[in-house]
């Protein structure tokens, strides 16, 4: 984080403020880790702080420190609204556009609080008073580490904060294997371990807590894998019925798309997941090399993200979504 930004934030927080910290809808490890990590840090320097999430987060993150303090906008709506109403400062973490908070968007747009965006997604919207955006970062948690060290120094990283930030860096970098993982990332991780993050334990808590139904659902997903060799592309579909038959719980399909990307020669992988409740097909896109799934998702799926990982949605049926996808692929043959 550069000195101009550090000075701006220090000025904003020079007196105690009511801070609210917000992550994106369907919060992942990076969103939960960064929001709670920042929350604990702000409290430790005498600020009032409250994390509000648009909706629930997956079970495999429930063991994280202080998750019980989060207000879920869907379930604790009155408390969440009150916190936002009383906020002097609103931090928005791990997203680049207010549309990413779902139902909460209107409430945030009405707020007169000072907004601070901390995020690593491409093409950030310009809604914040202070924007700390760095698209070279593999995770928002890594940015929170730099934020805390720029403001106060590493002695403010407690074991709880270290655990939260380690978790988000680990999940967003695919356990330190995506190209966004740098030497600096590894230095940050080393420091987090020195400050009390128990790396092996964190890894087990996140990845080795599968329900048998999730593994069965993975079997269904793998069975549905279609490889289009000509386009170096592979896709997976999961219907609502397949989710229902396998006792689907939030977060169960996390990471499935990576199996499609792991097929030899594949540079573009995509998963289509039917959601009858929201009447959409949720789409996750991944790529290797220069093919930008951020651009692809922005163009076709009202979404976005990063060059190699993005999300979006389709309003067509599952079948029509796939038909449309295979019909537009030839336009990308040269890039694939
Ligand atoms: P996932 O496929 O895991 O849902 O998302 C992959 C990446 O794209 C994540 O960094 C996520 O935050 C981002 N992302 C997912 N959906 C959207 C979307 O609708 N818009 C934007 N801008 N980013 C998204
Ligand atoms: Mn992230």
């Amino acid at each position: 984080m550069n000195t101009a930004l550090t000075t701006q934030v220090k000025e904003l927080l020079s007196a105690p403020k009511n801070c609210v910290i917000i992550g994106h809808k369907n919060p992942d490890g990076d969103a939960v880790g960064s929001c709670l990590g920042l929350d604990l840090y702000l409290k430790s320097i005498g600020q009032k702080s409250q994390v509000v999430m648009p909706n629930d987060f997956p079970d495999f993150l429930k063991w994280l420190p202080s998750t019980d303090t989060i207000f879920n906008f869907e379930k604790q709506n009155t408390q969440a609204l009150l916190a936002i109403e009383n906020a002097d400062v609103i931090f928005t973490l791990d997203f680049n556009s207010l549309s990413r908070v779902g139902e909460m968007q209107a409430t945030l747009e009405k707020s007169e609080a000072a907004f601070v965006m901390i995020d690593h997604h491409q093409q950030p919207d310009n809604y914040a008073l202070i924007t700390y955006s760095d698209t070279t970062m593999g995770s928002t948690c890594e940015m929170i580490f730099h934020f805390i060290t720029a403001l106060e120094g590493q002695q403010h990283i407690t074991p709880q904060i270290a655990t939260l930030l380690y978790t988000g860096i680990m999940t967003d970098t695919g356990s330190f294997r995506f190209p966004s993982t740098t030497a600096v990332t590894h230095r940050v991780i080393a420091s987090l371990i020195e400050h009390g993050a128990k790396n092996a334990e964190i890894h087990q808590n996140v990845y080795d807590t599968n329900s048998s139904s999730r593994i069965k659902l993975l079997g269904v997903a793998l069975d549905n894998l279609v490889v289009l060799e000509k386009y170096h592309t592979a896709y997976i579909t999961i219907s609502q019925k397949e989710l229902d038959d396998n006792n689907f719980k939030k977060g169960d399909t996390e990471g499935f798309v990576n199996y499609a990307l792991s097929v030899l020669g594949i540079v573009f992988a995509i998963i289509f997941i039917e959601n009858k409740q929201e009447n959409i097909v949720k789409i996750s896109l991944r790529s290797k090399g220069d093919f930008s799934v951020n651009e692809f998702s922005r163009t076709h799926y009202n979404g976005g993200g990063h060059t190699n990982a993005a999300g979006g949605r389709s309003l067509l049926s599952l079948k029509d979504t796939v038909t449309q996808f295979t019909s537009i692929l030839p336009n990308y043959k040269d890039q694939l």
Side-chain angles (χ1 to χ4, degrees):
M1 197 163 91
N2 68 38
T3 25
L5 271 177
T6 311
T7 310
Q8 266 185 298
V9 175
K10 275 193 171 158
E11 215 155 274
L12 187 66
L13 300 178
S14 58
K17 297 276 166 66
N18 281 329
C19 302
V20 165
I21 307 172
I22 291 172
H24 54 78
K25 193 174 171 190
N26 299 322
D28 56 8
D30 193 28
V32 175
S34 59
C35 288
L36 287 174
L38 178 63
D39 175 69
L40 294 181
Y41 163 70
L42 289 176
K43 284 173 177 149
S44 80
I45 59 164
Q47 300 291 337
K48 288 211 170 107
S49 176
Q50 174 64 50
V51 176
V52 179
M53 290 294 183
N55 62 350
D56 202 6
F57 56 92
D59 279 354
F60 67 80
L61 298 172
K62 297 257 150 104
W63 62 275
L64 281 168
S66 74
T67 50
D68 56 335
T69 65
I70 296 175
F71 288 162
N72 173 341
F73 191 78
E74 278 180 358
K75 289 201 183 127
Q76 289 135 301
N77 190 257
T78 316
Q79 288 147 292
L81 282 171
L82 196 65
I84 295 169
E85 205 174 289
N86 291 332
D88 307 308
V89 181
I90 296 183
F91 289 88
T92 66
L93 265 52
D94 199 35
F95 63 88
N96 56 0
S97 150
L98 287 181
S99 63
R100 296 273 288 128
V101 299
E103 303 294 306
M104 263 170 80
Q105 183 172 357
T107 310
L108 292 187
E109 278 170 352
K110 267 189 274 162
S111 167
E112 284 175 7
F115 278 72
V116 181
M117 179 206 280
I118 305 179
D119 181 51
H120 65 133
H121 293 90
Q122 292 178 348
Q123 293 143 292
D125 284 354
N126 187 20
Y127 61 79
L129 175 71
I130 300 176
T131 299
Y132 172 30
S133 158
D134 188 343
T135 59
T136 68
M137 288 280 161
S139 61
T140 303
C141 278
E142 184 172 336
M143 298 176 74
I144 295 295
F145 178 90
H146 297 306
F147 180 93
I148 295 175
T149 47
L151 257 68
E152 301 277 341
Q154 291 191 14
Q155 72 279 9
H156 272 261
I157 309 281
T158 62
Q160 285 195 323
I161 294 175
T163 303
L164 289 157
L165 300 186
Y166 186 103
T167 302
I169 297 174
M170 178 185 81
T171 54
D172 253 33
T173 60
S175 299
F176 323 113
R177 77 184 192 279
F178 296 154
S180 55
T181 311
T182 62
V184 174
T185 313
H186 282 288
R187 284 194 198 102
V188 169
I189 282 296
S191 169
L192 293 175
I193 293 173
E194 281 164 358
H195 285 91
K198 297 197 163 29
N199 47 321
E201 215 171 273
I202 291 171
H203 206 281
Q204 277 175 27
N205 284 345
V206 171
Y207 294 116
D208 299 342
T209 51
N210 284 306
S211 62
S212 57
S213 56
R214 177 180 188 249
I215 297 300
K216 293 218 162 111
L217 184 63
L218 174 62
V220 172
L222 297 179
D223 205 38
N224 291 348
L225 173 77
V226 176
V227 176
L228 304 169
E229 274 177 42
K230 190 171 159 195
Y231 300 111
H232 305 109
T233 295
Y235 70 86
I236 291 173
T237 54
I238 307 183
S239 68
Q240 183 70 59
K241 182 172 186 313
E242 287 166 332
L243 295 174
D244 295 344
D245 287 351
N246 290 284
N247 192 25
F248 170 76
K249 289 236 281 304
K250 193 181 259 310
D252 276 357
T253 56
E254 197 96 7
F256 283 11
V257 65
N258 293 322
Y259 288 92
L261 194 64
S262 74
V263 175
L264 182 67
I266 296 304
V267 298
F268 180 23
I270 184 158
I271 187 166
F272 301 100
I273 304 169
E274 190 174 31
N275 182 334
K276 282 253 159 93
Q277 200 186 338
E278 290 186 33
N279 222 356
I280 59 164
V281 175
K282 166 82 184 92
I283 301 171
S284 284
L285 311 91
R286 301 289 185 269
S287 68
K288 283 190 177 142
D290 296 337
F291 184 69
S292 172
V293 287
N294 171 47
E295 292 303 332
F296 194 93
S297 186
R298 277 173 188 270
T299 309
H300 301 291
Y301 299 133
N302 196 24
H306 315 277
T307 303
N308 297 130
R313 66 206 56 77
S314 156
L315 303 178
L316 302 174
S317 69
L318 181 60
K319 188 163 167 278
D320 289 350
T321 301
V322 172
T323 308
Q324 189 225 19
F325 173 67
T326 49
S327 75
I328 54 183
L329 260 191
N331 303 336
Y332 291 88
K333 186 161 190 319
D334 292 347
Q335 297 172 46
L336 291 164

